[in-house]
Amino acid sequence: MTDLNQPLGGNTMPRFGGPATMMRLPAQHTAAGLDACFIGVPLDIGTSNRPGTRLGPRQIRDESRMLRPYNMATGAAPFDSLQVADLGDVAINTFDLKKSVGIIADHYRAVLAHDVIPLTLGGDHTITWPILRAIAEKHGPVALIHVDAYADTNADMFGEKVAHGCPFRRAHEEGLLIDDKVFQIGLRGTGYAPADFDWGRARGWSVIPAEACWHRSLTPLMAQIRDRIGDAPVYLTFDIDSLDPALAPGTGTAEIGGLTIQQGMEIVRGCAGLNLVGCDLVEVSPPYDMAGNTAVAGAGLLFEMLCALPGVARTGQGATSDIAF
């Protein structure tokens, strides 16, 4: 274990000091020698309402300084199992969204030339499409667990086919997804037509609206999803606006009636055992949450994603109570 990177501990360096990396991990310029890596994509020019997600990766990293290396609930010990580092940010073209899509895809192609699993800090949801391009080139079409308030399957937005409301229609059109293994969780809100959420259903996707999740544990749902995905390669994309805005206000397109943070954690923890080949956490917009709570949630969920990756050892029994209740 001594040759594996470890987060900088709070008893070694005060939490407000140290490197500005995810969990204060070492930084690298390439993915050589890594099993997993954190990458920021500071993009918000695909956003249709409130901007600010360009600042998301930086604040997620800042709030990640409180995270410790062991998951006390699940027993996961990712830093005893995997070599992990922070690869910094993709140098997107902040004046050209279409060029940025190409830049992101090329960046991930270079990362995935190594046998590494990327964990991405967004950035608006446009970024998932070019990432999936690179992922599918390496692994073939993938199963998809898409946690979001919105389906993001618009044909276009203002006549443009590249936007944060379009990535999964583009991914489908390019054959990047295994259609009978696509799951959209948390969709809700108002629509322009009664069938707004049915585009994916017509292609074999499974839609689990937010209302179906209210007042329920999502652990049984994830057991069903694992059974249906099997050993296929799977990508997890988690839009922070899937959470109720009372819990995560720092996002550009907030919708009431969303998931709880606990349900978000159940979804991510429920991915353990799947052949995860990549994950992202998108749409954190710090200007709309002065307390930073949305970035705290984002950082914690990214750590849970790391803990769910293949090859992560589990120590102990996880969370137990000394009193039965």
Side-chain angles (χ1 to χ4, degrees):
M1 291 190 295
T2 56
D3 61 341
L4 295 179
N5 294 337
Q6 299 293 315
L8 180 61
N11 294 323
T12 302
M13 168 68 72
R15 295 286 179 192
F16 43 82
T21 58
M22 186 66 182
M23 295 184 69
R24 304 195 299 178
L25 283 163
Q28 285 192 195
H29 295 297
T30 77
L34 299 180
D35 301 302
C37 61
F38 292 103
I39 304 172
V41 186
L43 180 138
D44 65 3
I45 53 175
T47 301
S48 60
N49 189 29
R50 304 186 304 196
T53 55
R54 66 180 64 188
L55 306 175
R58 180 164 293 189
Q59 191 173 19
I60 292 170
R61 287 185 173 107
D62 188 36
E63 299 298 349
S64 76
R65 66 187 186 270
M66 276 298 298
L67 295 170
R68 302 168 183 87
Y70 293 98
N71 191 319
M72 303 302 289
T74 66
F79 301 104
D80 290 356
S81 316
L82 307 177
Q83 186 70 294
V84 188
D86 190 321
L87 298 190
D89 291 337
V90 179
I92 57 98
N93 182 334
T94 199
F95 303 112
D96 193 317
L97 182 58
K98 294 174 183 176
K99 285 183 179 178
S100 290
V101 165
I103 290 167
I104 294 165
D106 286 343
H107 188 97
Y108 278 78
R109 289 182 182 108
V111 169
L112 292 167
H114 305 277
D115 191 15
V116 64
I117 302 174
L119 302 167
T120 301
L121 294 65
D124 73 56
H125 222 154
T126 310
I127 70 174
T128 304
W129 171 37
I131 295 171
L132 284 170
R133 276 182 171 175
I135 289 279
E137 287 172 13
K138 182 177 179 70
H139 298 284
V142 295
L144 182 74
I145 299 174
H146 170 207
V147 190
D148 204 328
Y150 306 97
D152 290 352
T153 54
N154 292 350
D156 57 70
M157 299 185 80
F158 294 95
E160 297 292 335
K161 292 184 177 295
V162 184
H164 76 159
C166 307
F168 302 107
R169 184 175 287 221
R170 302 288 90 81
H172 167 79
E173 291 168 349
E174 293 186 1
L176 309 181
L177 306 176
I178 305 171
D179 281 334
D180 64 351
K181 299 182 188 294
V182 175
F183 303 88
Q184 296 187 303
I185 306 171
L187 306 191
R188 64 188 188 276
T190 55
Y192 290 107
D196 271 4
F197 294 160
D198 290 344
W199 187 90
R201 287 185 171 117
R203 284 146 186 85
W205 300 7
S206 296
V207 175
I208 303 95
E211 286 80 359
C213 302
W214 287 355
H215 315 299
R216 301 177 65 175
S217 167
L218 300 188
T219 298
L221 168 67
M222 293 309 298
Q224 294 182 54
I225 289 175
R226 288 196 304 274
D227 286 344
R228 290 178 58 179
I229 290 177
D231 60 0
V234 56
Y235 189 88
L236 170 63
T237 180
F238 197 113
D239 189 322
I240 206 71
D241 70 27
S242 63
L243 303 180
D244 191 88
L247 305 169
T251 192
T253 48
E255 287 281 356
I256 63 169
L259 304 178
T260 68
I261 291 176
Q262 292 90 333
Q263 288 174 320
M265 294 171 75
E266 286 178 325
I267 292 169
V268 178
R269 290 177 180 179
C271 292
L274 290 172
N275 180 21
L276 282 169
V277 295
C279 309
D280 65 47
L281 188 290
V282 299
E283 297 285 358
V284 171
S285 183
Y288 299 98
D289 184 357
M290 293 297 101
N293 291 340
T294 309
V296 170
L301 288 165
L302 280 158
F303 175 66
E304 293 287 349
M305 293 175 190
L306 178 65
C307 290
L309 295 185
V312 171
R314 294 183 181 270
T315 62
Q317 297 178 332
T320 58
S321 174
D322 295 333
I323 299 176
F325 60 95

